[in-house]
Amino acid sequence: MPPAIMDGPDALVNYLLVAGVLFACGIFAMISRRNAVGILMGVELILNAAGINFVAFSRFGHTKLNGQHLDGQIFTLFIIVLAAAEAVVALALVLSVFQTHKTIALDEVDEMKQ
Amino acid sequence: MNDPIYWMLPAGILLIPLVAFAIILFFGKYIDRFCDKIAIIAMSLSFVLSLTLFIAIVQDRGVQAQQNPIITSMSWMFVGGVDLQMGFLVDNLSAFMSMVVTGLATLVLIYSMFYMHGDTMYRRYFGFMCFFCFTMLGIVFASNLLMTFVFWELVGLGSYFLIGFWFYKPPVSKDHHYQELKAPYATGIDERYLSPGHAQKKAFVMNRIGDFGFLCGIGIFITVFLAAADLPGFKDIALREGPLNFDKMYAAVNRDIFEQVTLLGMTGPQLLTLAGIFTFMGAMGKSAQFPLHTWLPDAMQGPTTGSSIIHAATMVAAGVYMVARIHPLLTPGSLFFVALIGSLTAFLAATIALVQWDIKAVLAYSTISQLGYMMIGLGAGGYTAGVAHLFTHAIFKCMLFLCAGSVIHACHHLQDMNRMGGLRKKMPITFLTMLIGTLAISGVPLFSAFFSKDAILAASLARAMEMGGLHWLPPILGFITAGLTTFYMFRLVFMTFFGQPRDKHIYDHAHESPAVATVPLLILAMLCFGFWWAGGLNFPLYTMYLPGLSMTVQGAHGAVTTGWLEALITSPVPAHHSEYHEHLHHVAHVWATILSTVMLLIGLAMAFLMYIKRSINPDKLLEIAPLRHGFSLLSQLWFFDRLYQDGIVVLSKKLNWALWWFDANIIDRWLVDGWSLLVRSWSIGARWIDNNIVDGTVDAFGKGTWVMGSASRMLQAGKIQFYVCVTFGVVAVVMLALLLK
């Protein structure tokens, strides 16, 4: 019997609310920051919001692995690993941008527009 | 299968002069001294081969060779299921003719070593002579009418080369040398035009007129024989393989069912008459028959030796030879046409020759007149007579021209007989040979033309007695011409060689020509005697090389008096003579002999009285009005040249001018220029469309792309936050839309 969606402390909507707030924070961070590292942090927040959603929804799914709903959690694990790798690449890019432009403010790095 | 010599020998005879021509043409510069020898050796080699061929064919076939000519031919081209062929025809006529051509050419070439000596174009002359003989031999050995035509045109080209040999000479009106040497009353020649260059063009154009008819004739012949080819009665002749081959044409015409051939509503014989008359037009051009005769006297502008070969064996003989070849194809109608034209030519030319002052001009008109005789002979059905006169005439006319050349050379290019005279003491050999030639051409008994001319007149007289009416015209004109011939030829001899020298200076410098000139003359003079031609005398060579011939002659004709020429060279399709006809012929022959001898004596007496005894003064005669008018008519050449020059040539020039005007003003101005105007305005319109509509479309595409590019460029702001906002906004809008749906 899967847990309820709307009622009780264990309801799905609570998890989704937390993930939604986290997602909104991530979007806000991405939009408001000029700093590339800040934007990267926003991206991490969005990824984590997605991870929470996966875990939450996996409890309501039908596919079971060893009697447990695990596919969403495995997805989340992949997302965490990917986020780490992405952070590495993004930070390397930021470093490279800083070396050439002496700044990491992204609105100042717009030569390609010309 | 025929003996291969019957194509190898003609090929050799034909090609040796051509090879000599090519050698002289391409290597003449390097072997300057030997050019004349090469030509003479080549021509004498050809002569030896011709002699071999003649002996071979006579021994092989004898009198049968004329009826069954040996033809070796191969396919030339297939056109419309018809196999047109090329090949060699050997019969007694062609073998003998090739002998005459090469023999005379050899003698003329030897003589030319003397006559052309020192000429700037000495080499070229010998080359041209070889080429000319090659073309004539091509006609002689042609196995079909088309091949005859091909070589016919080449003969025209050869004569063009020789007549205009001194092409750089100005018209005689500008030639001081000519003006000094000409007779004071020389008229009839249009001096504005007469020059070697003009003469060669005139000869060529006059011949083209005749050749047009020839080509039409060939066209009719080929059509008729192809129409016959499909009829069952002609299947065995295989007319589709070489419809113009002489043997096949003879065979087809000789069938009784030939009358069943119909085409365009005409029967076979009617078509043959038409074709014969058209084809004869070619001979009228080549053999200088009235009314296309005017080129021949002008052709005297060439070297005298060239004239000699043109007048004897090659050019003018080609026409007569061709008529002899197609003789079996000619119907009584076309034969009468031939005889009529021949007699008019003989008479007109002889009258003109009476008053000529130029020694070569007399001979030129006499050639035309004698060619007319040959045509009378052929037209009257006297095949052997006409052909025999061709041979005898070839020899004595060749000789007469060479004699005239000798006289002209001795008198420093003087051609006016009025300033010669008494030359017989200075130039005995030339005088002797010229006298023999004159006796021969006049038909004095026991000389060559006595037999041939008599045979011609007898044939035409017999024809007239049989047919009556207009058929009397050829013999009447023929007999008158016989008297005229004697008169003008003896006038020539008397004025040149007898009497007192009229020009002391010229007489003193005159001298006999060297042996290289006189030996050919003497050889030719020997051939002018009648015993060669009559065949009545049992000449040793004749019995040695032609054994058994006299028996055959007796078998075929029953009479010993029949000459070998009559026996060997007869019509390929002999007519079936009735006893009445034989009787008529006999009567005619007796009368012809008597009448022509009488005419001869009258002519001789007149010439003697006027130019030796001087009992009739020619100048006094001119004081009689009718004679004066006649004289001026004759010295104006019956106005033929004047008519052609001032009538036809001027008219056609006017026509040319009118056509030019039409071309320049109507065609050029309106059609061509108008068309260009049309095209130009059209292209102005097209240019506007191109610039504004076509290019505008292309530009619009470019411009549109540019506008869209610059618009979308604004989206590419380079602001990450902006992109994120847009992305998020779009996703949010899509989500909302999905939710609110």
Side-chain angles (χ1 to χ4, degrees):
Chain A
M1 192 61 196
I5 294 172
M6 299 293 285
D7 302 320
D10 201 19
L12 177 64
V13 72
N14 299 333
Y15 299 103
L16 292 186
L17 266 175
V18 172
V21 169
L22 212 53
F23 181 81
C25 290
I27 289 291
F28 180 74
M30 276 176 76
I31 293 171
S32 60
R33 294 291 111 178
R34 289 178 65 216
N35 192 323
V37 179
I39 291 168
L40 201 56
M41 288 162 77
V43 172
E44 293 300 322
L45 285 182
I46 291 167
L47 284 172
N48 285 340
I52 289 170
N53 270 12
F54 270 117
V55 174
F57 277 116
S58 80
R59 274 175 62 88
F60 297 90
H62 300 285
T63 319
K64 286 185 177 174
L65 192 65
N66 294 335
Q68 290 181 301
H69 297 283
L70 286 178
D71 41 356
Q73 289 165 15
I74 289 166
F75 241 114
T76 309
L77 279 174
F78 270 102
I79 288 172
I80 291 165
V81 172
L82 268 174
E86 183 221 318
V88 170
V89 173
L91 283 173
L93 279 173
V94 169
L95 213 60
S96 169
V97 166
F98 183 75
Q99 277 172 359
T100 50
H101 293 88
K102 303 291 170 214
T103 175
I104 52 170
L106 281 187
D107 51 351
E108 287 173 29
V109 186
D110 58 356
E111 276 104 43
M112 295 254 298
K113 190 186 151 194
Q114 310 306 327
Chain B
M1 196 61 205
N2 292 314
D3 199 326
I5 63 159
Y6 291 120
W7 65 265
M8 287 164 76
L9 279 178
I13 295 166
L14 195 61
L15 291 180
I16 289 170
L18 184 66
V19 169
F21 167 64
I23 290 173
I24 294 171
L25 188 71
F26 293 115
F27 308 110
K29 212 173 7 176
Y30 311 108
I31 47 167
D32 194 21
R33 280 170 51 230
F34 302 107
C35 282
D36 45 0
K37 279 105 191 162
I38 288 172
I40 290 166
I41 289 168
M43 205 55 77
S44 39
L45 209 59
S46 257
F47 174 66
V48 171
L49 292 184
S50 305
L51 196 65
T52 318
L53 180 66
F54 183 66
I55 292 170
I57 182 107
V58 168
Q59 281 192 332
D60 207 2
R61 296 279 176 100
V63 292
Q64 294 302 314
Q66 279 299 106
Q67 280 78 45
N68 300 305
I70 300 171
I71 286 193
T72 321
S73 60
M74 58 176 195
S75 290
W76 178 24
M77 53 183 175
F78 289 97
V79 183
V82 182
D83 181 10
L84 294 175
Q85 299 189 327
M86 274 230 168
F88 296 116
L89 178 147
V90 180
D91 60 1
N92 292 336
L93 176 63
S94 66
F96 198 86
M97 188 71 196
S98 78
M99 227 163 70
V100 172
V101 173
T102 52
L104 289 182
T106 309
L107 293 174
V108 170
L109 282 174
I110 293 171
Y111 179 96
S112 304
M113 285 170 66
F114 147 73
Y115 190 79
M116 297 300 286
H117 184 76
D119 194 281
T120 48
M121 297 185 290
Y122 186 74
R123 284 198 312 262
R124 187 186 296 179
Y125 168 81
F126 283 90
F128 283 167
M129 286 290 277
C130 287
F131 176 74
F132 200 28
C133 290
F134 153 71
T135 58
M136 181 62 198
L137 290 166
I139 292 183
V140 170
F141 287 117
S143 71
N144 62 62
L145 209 53
L146 198 65
M147 189 172 162
T148 305
F149 186 74
V150 171
F151 281 96
W152 187 266
E153 295 301 311
L154 283 174
V155 166
L157 179 67
S159 71
Y160 182 83
F161 288 153
L162 277 178
I163 294 168
F165 187 72
W166 291 315
F167 56 87
Y168 50 82
K169 279 192 178 174
V172 292
S173 60
K174 295 199 182 102
D175 190 342
H176 299 298
H177 189 67
Y178 178 92
Q179 295 292 338
E180 265 171 42
L181 292 178
K182 74 166 185 177
Y185 52 80
T187 48
I189 293 164
D190 204 332
E191 295 189 351
R192 287 170 300 167
Y193 300 107
L194 187 63
S195 68
H198 185 259
Q200 65 179 165
K201 276 179 278 181
K202 189 166 172 180
F204 211 70
V205 170
M206 294 303 268
N207 272 295
R208 287 294 79 67
I209 298 170
D211 293 349
F212 167 72
F214 193 178
L215 211 50
C216 293
I218 291 178
I220 300 174
F221 273 131
I222 201 166
T223 320
V224 171
F225 288 115
L226 284 183
D230 297 332
L231 294 180
F234 296 98
K235 284 278 188 247
D236 56 316
I237 310 180
L239 276 167
R240 282 199 178 272
E241 281 99 53
L244 291 172
N245 282 13
F246 289 116
D247 54 345
K248 293 190 176 175
M249 292 202 287
Y250 297 165
V253 170
N254 221 16
R255 302 252 159 121
D256 289 337
I257 50 166
F258 193 74
E259 301 205 359
Q260 290 168 13
V261 179
T262 51
L263 207 69
L264 301 172
M266 292 165 88
T267 61
Q270 283 171 330
L271 285 162
L272 273 193
T273 306
L274 203 63
I277 289 174
F278 271 120
T279 313
F280 178 64
M281 265 179 74
M284 279 159 72
K286 227 19 128 222
S287 291
Q289 297 295 296
F290 164 83
L292 299 178
H293 63 276
T294 58
W295 67 267
L296 191 62
D298 284 34
M300 292 298 105
Q301 288 295 307
T304 308
T305 44
S307 309
S308 163
I309 202 75
I310 288 176
H311 285 246
T314 51
M315 178 93 173
V316 296
V320 181
Y321 183 84
M322 188 268 278
V323 175
R325 269 272 165 262
I326 62 165
H327 196 264
L329 309 177
L330 297 177
T331 55
S334 40
L335 279 177
F336 176 62
F337 183 75
V338 171
L340 200 63
I341 292 289
S343 56
L344 283 174
T345 310
F347 177 71
L348 286 177
T351 53
I352 294 171
L354 296 177
V355 299
Q356 290 300 309
W357 55 275
D358 182 332
I359 186 166
K360 278 176 82 179
V362 176
L363 292 177
Y365 282 103
S366 108
T367 302
I368 300 177
S369 174
Q370 298 299 313
L371 290 166
Y373 264 126
M374 297 170 206
M375 294 302 182
I376 296 177
L378 290 170
Y383 181 90
T384 314
V387 173
H389 198 58
L390 175 64
F391 299 147
T392 56
H393 170 264
I395 288 165
F396 62 65
K397 187 51 63 72
C398 179
M399 183 179 74
L400 285 169
F401 265 106
L402 296 184
C403 289
S406 179
V407 169
I408 292 166
H409 195 271
C411 298
H412 304 281
H413 298 285
L414 175 77
Q415 301 192 4
D416 178 14
M417 295 191 299
N418 289 297
R419 291 165 72 182
M420 297 173 182
L423 285 174
R424 73 176 186 280
K425 295 180 199 101
K426 286 275 189 176
M427 330 178 59
I429 299 176
T430 308
F431 163 65
L432 186 69
T433 50
M434 192 125 185
L435 186 66
I436 291 172
T438 305
L439 292 171
I441 192 175
S442 310
V444 173
L446 299 182
F447 285 89
S448 58
F450 170 72
F451 299 100
S452 50
K453 195 190 279 185
D454 251 20
I456 286 172
L457 291 173
S460 79
L461 198 60
R463 186 78 154 195
M465 285 155 78
E466 199 179 353
M467 315 284 283
L470 266 179
H471 285 269
W472 280 100
L473 198 62
I476 290 171
L477 288 176
F479 281 116
I480 296 172
T481 307
L484 298 177
T485 309
T486 316
F487 176 79
Y488 67 69
M489 282 313 295
F490 275 98
R491 169 177 173 266
L492 185 151
V493 171
F494 291 157
M495 282 177 87
T496 314
F497 292 103
F498 285 85
Q500 292 304 310
R502 296 186 187 81
D503 193 320
K504 195 76 185 141
H505 176 74
I506 296 229
Y507 178 78
D508 288 343
H509 285 81
H511 52 85
E512 180 60 280
S513 304
V516 68
T518 48
V519 169
L521 287 180
L522 288 171
I523 294 173
L524 288 169
M526 292 295 291
L527 295 172
C528 289
F529 288 103
F531 56 83
W532 295 93
W533 304 101
L537 299 176
N538 207 359
F539 198 69
L541 274 176
Y542 160 64
T543 42
M544 201 186 300
Y545 286 111
L546 312 173
L549 188 64
S550 51
M551 249 172 66
T552 324
V553 171
Q554 272 184 334
H557 294 271
V560 188
T561 47
T562 307
W564 53 270
L565 208 57
E566 185 105 20
L568 284 182
I569 303 180
T570 49
S571 177
V573 183
H576 304 290
H577 289 314
S578 62
E579 205 164 302
Y580 171 65
H581 188 95
E582 292 287 340
H583 166 73
L584 216 58
H585 216 88
H586 185 71
V587 172
H589 214 129
V590 172
W591 275 105
T593 312
I594 294 169
L595 275 173
S596 64
T597 312
V598 168
M599 293 308 291
L600 168 92
L601 290 174
I602 294 173
L604 182 59
M606 284 296 286
F608 184 76
L609 290 177
M610 282 169 79
Y611 296 101
I612 295 275
K613 283 280 278 185
R614 298 248 157 221
S615 50
I616 305 172
N617 190 344
D619 298 328
K620 283 268 168 56
L621 282 181
L622 289 184
E623 288 169 14
I624 307 165
L627 284 180
R628 192 170 61 239
H629 294 314
F631 177 82
S632 73
L633 175 70
L634 296 183
S635 38
Q636 292 288 344
L637 320 174
W638 287 88
F639 292 99
F640 277 115
D641 286 61
R642 194 49 63 85
L643 175 73
Y644 293 159
Q645 183 65 45
D646 295 347
I648 294 170
V649 174
V650 169
L651 270 183
S652 60
K653 275 185 179 168
K654 285 214 168 94
L655 180 67
N656 285 355
W657 190 88
L659 290 176
W660 170 82
W661 184 89
F662 182 77
D663 191 44
N665 288 297
I666 308 295
I667 307 270
D668 273 9
R669 181 163 297 170
W670 293 106
L671 284 182
V672 179
D673 290 358
W675 183 249
S676 91
L677 197 71
L678 203 67
V679 171
R680 223 160 43 198
S681 18
W682 172 259
S683 43
I684 286 170
R687 187 179 64 183
W688 185 87
I689 290 173
D690 194 44
N691 282 350
N692 291 289
I693 296 181
V694 179
D695 280 8
T697 314
V698 176
D699 285 356
F701 272 107
K703 205 164 270 180
T705 311
W706 189 81
V707 167
M708 275 161 68
S710 16
S712 56
R713 183 167 165 264
M714 278 157 38
L715 287 173
Q716 196 85 6
K719 301 273 190 273
I720 305 286
Q721 280 83 8
F722 177 68
Y723 299 158
V724 173
C725 284
V726 170
T727 312
F728 183 67
V730 169
V731 172
V733 167
V734 170
M735 294 290 258
L736 274 175
L738 287 175
L739 280 177
L740 293 177
K741 198 168 71 178

